[in-house]
Amino acid sequence: MKIPSLLVASALLLGAAPARAAGPLKVIGTTEDLASIAREVAGDKASVESLSRGYQDPHFVEAKPSFVLKLNKADLLIAVGRELEIGWLPPLITQSRNAKIQPGGEGYLDASLTARILEMPTGQLTRAMGDVHPSGNPHFWLDPENGKHVAKAVAEKLSELDHANASYYAQREADFEKRLTEAEARWTAMIAPYRGTKVVTYHRSWPNFAEHFGLEVIGYVEPKPGIPPSPSHTIDVINAMKRQNVKIILVEPYFDLKTPDSIARETGAKVLVMPPSVGGEKEITDYIKLFDYDLKLLTDAIKATK
Ligand SMILES: [Zn+2]
């Protein structure tokens, strides 16, 4: 990714002043999930934007010059972390020339630090063979309990940056947590008859979701996270699905359906395109609606396979 130097130069001229101007805080989330949670906490005390869109693969976002402009003016950058954005975010942060939002700066929040992270590597950290999850699974926002952890961290960070409104952020965070807990009771009831259902997923996006809602993921269309399907691995997946009578293949909206469709033909399974992020479908306008949408989609599909 290359950003024309003229645009970077104009970005610097437009917003180089480090001191925060009066008015709402400018908050940037790398994903729409983080932006949604930040909006819940920040209310009208901040303007919140997302860099990526929910229908994009968050590992591989096409960086645009406009991202540099946004980062240059940001008071707070919230990243998913665990190297999810390593392929596109670091050069943008550098080019923003905004000291506050550099990793370690007061305006940088790594959302993964307080979240429950699954699939932590044992032994040496490595991106060997192209595995894009070298420091634990970064798709942790798909457990609503982690949504609460992120909201708490955002509230603390906003209070640090804008101390005068600390009680406002704390109250908004408590209210969000309460609504999320109420929604969780509804989701738990929806999925209860289907706990233990075995599924295959395209990418390893769903371990936190599966843990929270009681699904059993028995395999992946990708041989490793970030590695495209191969014929021999596909045969292994088909055999495992036949052995265990698996009837659902979950596919994130940004993957090609060719391999999932061929696996479905061989196994009689159903391919379900299930968005892992806010904005993955136009009706998924916030974090709570993401789970409303996915659980309805999933439970309807499981019902249809019975
Ligand atoms: Zn991933």
Side-chain angles (χ1 to χ4, degrees):
M1 190 256 350
K2 218 174 158 183
I3 288 172
S5 56
L6 188 65
L7 281 160
V8 175
S10 56
L12 295 173
L13 287 173
L14 285 170
R20 193 169 89 72
L25 290 166
K26 291 188 178 66
V27 177
I28 302 286
T30 57
T31 66
E32 293 202 55
D33 310 289
L34 296 177
S36 172
I37 293 170
R39 259 177 220 118
E40 298 280 2
V41 176
D44 57 12
K45 306 296 181 201
S47 69
V48 182
E49 279 187 81
S50 168
L51 293 179
S52 65
R53 302 270 69 90
Y55 49 79
Q56 293 178 309
D57 183 340
H59 287 285
F60 304 103
V61 174
E62 195 198 337
K64 296 182 186 156
S66 62
F67 292 179
V68 176
L69 285 165
K70 284 177 184 174
L71 290 172
N72 175 258
K73 293 178 195 143
D75 298 298
L76 173 60
L77 170 63
I78 310 170
V80 173
R82 302 285 151 179
E83 304 194 21
L84 180 81
E85 303 100 335
I86 201 163
W88 57 279
L89 186 64
L92 295 175
I93 294 178
T94 307
Q95 286 161 25
S96 78
R97 306 284 178 95
N98 179 345
K100 285 182 290 189
I101 61 152
Q102 304 297 315
E106 61 160 3
Y108 180 87
L109 178 63
D110 177 338
S112 75
L113 292 181
T114 54
R116 174 171 160 71
I117 304 298
L118 301 178
E119 301 174 353
M120 285 300 285
T122 48
Q124 200 193 350
L125 282 186
T126 170
R127 290 169 74 85
M129 321 270 300
D131 184 338
V132 294
H133 295 171
S135 21
N137 191 291
H139 302 274
F140 57 82
W141 68 89
L142 287 160
D143 176 347
E145 285 297 306
N146 273 339
K148 294 178 188 174
H149 296 310
V150 173
K152 270 205 185 75
V154 170
E156 278 170 25
K157 181 53 82 177
L158 289 173
S159 304
E160 230 176 272
L161 297 174
D162 176 23
H163 200 67
N165 289 308
S167 63
Y168 174 86
Y169 299 129
Q171 183 267 316
R172 298 267 321 178
E173 190 277 319
D175 178 67
F176 174 61
E177 199 169 317
K178 181 167 164 283
R179 283 182 288 120
L180 200 46
T181 301
E182 286 162 3
E184 278 181 277
R186 183 169 82 235
W187 301 326
T188 302
M190 276 174 86
I191 198 77
Y194 311 110
R195 288 187 90 89
T197 298
K198 291 179 177 177
V199 300
V200 158
T201 76
Y202 194 107
H203 181 75
R204 279 184 188 252
S205 302
W206 306 96
N208 291 86
F209 183 93
E211 183 190 63
H212 187 89
F213 295 109
L215 300 178
E216 193 185 331
V217 183
I218 67 117
Y220 308 92
V221 177
E222 288 180 332
K224 276 175 185 290
I227 304 295
S230 67
S232 66
H233 178 73
T234 299
I235 290 166
D236 290 345
V237 172
I238 289 169
N239 289 337
M241 287 178 71
K242 283 181 176 167
R243 254 191 332 268
Q244 303 188 53
N245 195 29
V246 178
K247 294 297 175 202
I248 302 274
I249 307 166
L250 297 180
V251 182
E252 298 80 354
Y254 32 81
F255 290 117
D256 194 301
L257 289 174
K258 194 169 140 261
T259 304
D261 282 343
S262 72
I263 296 173
R265 274 195 302 276
E266 289 293 323
T267 57
K270 183 178 169 52
V271 171
L272 196 61
V273 176
M274 192 154 103
S277 279
V278 173
E281 282 292 339
K282 64 176 181 303
E283 55 262 63
I284 309 176
T285 51
D286 65 37
Y287 186 70
I288 289 179
K289 288 200 180 88
L290 171 63
F291 295 98
D292 281 335
Y293 183 95
D294 282 356
L295 284 161
K296 169 86 167 63
L297 192 76
L298 179 65
T299 52
D300 284 350
I302 298 172
K303 247 180 261 176
T305 64
K306 300 280 175 202

